[in-house]
Amino acid sequence: MGLLGLRVAIGFEFLWAFFDKTFGLGYATSSAHAWVNGGSPTTGFLSGVNVGPFQGIFNGIAGSGVVDWVFMLGLLGVGLALILGVALRPAAIAGAAMLLLMYAASWPFATIGGGQTTGSTNPVVDDHIVSTMALVVIAALAAWSVGPLSRRWAALPLVRSHSWLR
């Protein structure tokens, strides 16, 4: 049950971010900046990167239509896959990649960025790393996944012959 709870919780985290950025639910994204209202889901975070060796790269791709679409499809795909219990290994890999990129963008090793304190409380392990480690566990134990959709997914001939799709 703990693994199921972990899987659903992380899936919900990704799915919630998708809905908040799409519709501007007022948490991380206001309605005025929602994707459906012409806002860019990556502009706020990536253009605000003001520290670290990848600052220029992240600032440069902020607001790009391709980056927006890839990011949003990643949030939706990872969230749905984890909640439904299907394609857990590909979802875990994609989710971990997204989280590690966000970790690099936040650059927790810095204490000062752009003249302000970064708010980093731990220079090595933060929520991005903890969630990435949880996704590694979910991918490693994908065969233990429970639920009717998960069982049907695992029974598909393509998935049985390609275990990485599990």
Side-chain angles (χ1 to χ4, degrees), residues 87-160:
L88 293 177
R89 288 184 177 137
I93 291 167
M98 292 174 72
L99 288 166
L100 291 174
L101 285 168
M102 287 184 247
Y103 177 80
S106 65
W107 202 252
F109 305 104
T111 56
I112 302 291
Q116 304 279 332
T117 59
T118 62
S120 177
T121 59
N122 186 320
V124 180
V125 179
D126 70 357
D127 59 321
H128 299 100
I129 298 300
V130 173
S131 292
T132 298
M133 293 167 67
L135 286 171
V136 168
V137 169
I138 289 168
L141 302 176
W144 291 3
S145 186
V146 296
L149 284 176
S150 189
R151 285 192 297 274
R152 286 186 188 139
W153 176 262
L156 293 173
L158 179 67
V159 176
R160 280 189 294 167

Side-chain angles (χ1 to χ4, degrees), residues 1-26:
M1 276 312 256
L3 187 59
L4 174 63
L6 180 65
R7 190 188 85 205
V8 170
I10 294 176
F12 183 73
E13 187 176 25
F14 275 83
L15 205 53
W16 181 266
F18 171 80
F19 284 120
D20 186 46
K21 292 182 181 320
T22 300
F23 301 110
L25 302 177

